[in-house]
Amino acid sequence: MSKKDPALRRSDCPLNVCLEIFGDRWSLLIIRDLLFKKRHEFKDYLAAKERIATNVLSDRLQRLEASGIITKAVHPSDARKSDYRLTEKGLDLAPLLFEMALWATKHEKTEAPTALVRRMSDDRSNLLAELRANHRPAPARKNPSARK
């Protein structure tokens, strides 16, 4: 099912639309890692505590890119690698992730850093601005053979 084709959705209910685009745990964890942990490379996601399989990671990255939530570019320091970043559409998920994290820390035992949880609640606009700044495109690689 193509996530870009609205005709293939089960329904146009807003919650269904969201769940069909990013509703599985792996997609949300990739978004979390991009947003909060500054992970931008394939290998970075493999290092996460949840231990995603490489085939699942490849699939979710492709789906998130196809949905316009992330971008994939050549890594600024190594052309063999890819650099993943959240798009504006992806960054707009930050308040949703904040609310999910706040709900979980209120009702369940979590490992969320207390200072971060407090900022999600009390300093939201500054935290959002900082997170957005982390997702500016990486600087382009400098060509060492280029003349000045």
Side-chain angles (χ1 to χ4, degrees), residues 31-109:
I31 294 166
R32 172 208 63 190
D33 286 354
L34 276 162
L35 189 62
F36 296 110
K37 299 185 179 193
K38 299 179 187 178
R39 292 182 172 155
H40 301 287
E41 296 178 30
F42 190 90
K43 69 176 176 62
D44 295 336
Y45 306 113
L46 296 175
K49 190 175 189 176
E50 294 83 9
R51 305 188 44 88
I52 189 170
T54 57
N55 62 320
V56 174
L57 176 57
S58 292
D59 178 70
R60 293 319 185 276
L61 288 169
Q62 289 172 1
R63 287 182 187 202
L64 290 169
E65 185 180 15
S67 295
I69 293 173
I70 66 171
T71 60
K72 176 183 174 183
V74 174
H75 194 278
S77 65
D78 186 344
R80 297 169 295 174
K81 297 179 183 178
S82 296
D83 182 72
Y84 297 95
R85 301 283 168 158
L86 289 168
T87 62
E88 284 298 314
K89 183 177 180 179
L91 286 165
D92 284 345
L93 292 169
L96 175 65
L97 270 64
F98 287 9
E99 291 304 319
M100 292 173 71
L102 291 170
W103 178 87
T105 58
K106 179 178 179 181
H107 296 287
E108 303 290 333
K109 183 178 186 267

